[in-house]
Amino acid sequence: TMDRLLVEEIDPGGLLGEPFVGIVKEQALHWEDTTREFLAVQLLWKNELAAAGEVDAPVRRNLLFDRAAKNWRDAPPVHAIVAAGVTSASPALARLLRVIAGLPRGAVVLPDLDLALDDEVWASLGAAGKSDSPDAPPFARGDATSHPQYHLKLLLNRMGVARGEVQPWHR
């Protein structure tokens, strides 16, 4: 759980506030109790890492993705950069993929993104990290997280790319 939160760049301390408690309001007391225990364990772990002068593997991964994105944005490589087969929608990876997609010889190949899926069905997948209003949470209770296209929608939203901007790739 700690690793997943770090990959998603979620501050565990925020788990006791909105929107998280609001999403699990019927379990609010149980949620708060277990989250407090989780935060205590995490604090011990963070202190141990700090004493050793280390960071968690997901933090290191995010830092490396951000460094690569900055380097390629500042000095685009002359050779082709292709990211293919990506299924993770983590924020740091989405930022890197956005840079790759914008490189002169860059491409991002998304596996099985259904460009023929009806727009109404695509919209019914939910917010997927992008709400229509600034006050709305980025994820909604009704998001279809188990739909096969949901995480690709989340990745595109985090990249800042609309599905209509994606060009089909002939295999």
Side-chain angles (χ1 to χ4, degrees):
T1 300
M2 286 189 273
D3 286 354
R4 191 71 227 157
L5 289 170
L6 292 171
V7 165
E8 288 294 321
E9 300 177 343
I10 295 172
D11 173 25
L15 294 176
L16 290 173
E18 288 294 332
F20 296 104
V21 173
I23 291 171
V24 293
K25 58 184 146 208
E26 66 276 356
Q27 304 168 333
L29 289 176
H30 172 71
W31 175 265
E32 287 182 34
D33 290 344
T34 56
T35 302
R36 279 184 189 26
E37 287 181 42
F38 170 77
L39 293 174
V41 170
Q42 191 200 33
L43 182 61
L44 292 170
W45 175 241
K46 284 177 118 178
N47 289 340
E48 190 171 316
L49 284 173
E54 298 175 354
V55 296
D56 267 305
V59 171
R60 182 177 185 276
R61 184 194 91 134
N62 290 347
L63 291 169
L64 291 171
F65 283 160
D66 286 340
R67 179 183 298 165
K70 181 186 181 319
N71 289 343
W72 286 340
R73 191 174 37 254
D74 293 348
V78 294
H79 56 282
I81 301 289
V82 178
V86 176
T87 57
S88 170
S90 76
L93 182 57
R95 290 190 298 271
L96 175 61
L97 293 176
R98 179 63 191 174
V99 170
I100 292 171
L103 292 173
R105 297 191 59 208
V108 176
V109 181
L110 299 175
D112 298 319
L113 175 63
D114 189 350
L115 295 175
L117 188 68
D118 185 74
D119 288 342
E120 188 175 309
V121 175
W122 183 258
S124 74
L125 297 178
K130 181 181 177 187
S131 58
D132 292 332
S133 79
D135 297 335
F139 299 97
R141 185 179 275 274
D143 277 13
T145 58
S146 62
H147 190 283
Q149 294 293 301
Y150 179 84
H151 280 85
L152 290 169
K153 181 176 183 178
L154 176 59
L155 177 59
L156 287 175
N157 284 344
R158 286 180 169 174
M159 288 175 66
V161 174
R163 185 173 64 131
E165 295 177 79
V166 178
Q167 297 177 14
W169 178 60
H170 180 57
R171 296 180 195 201

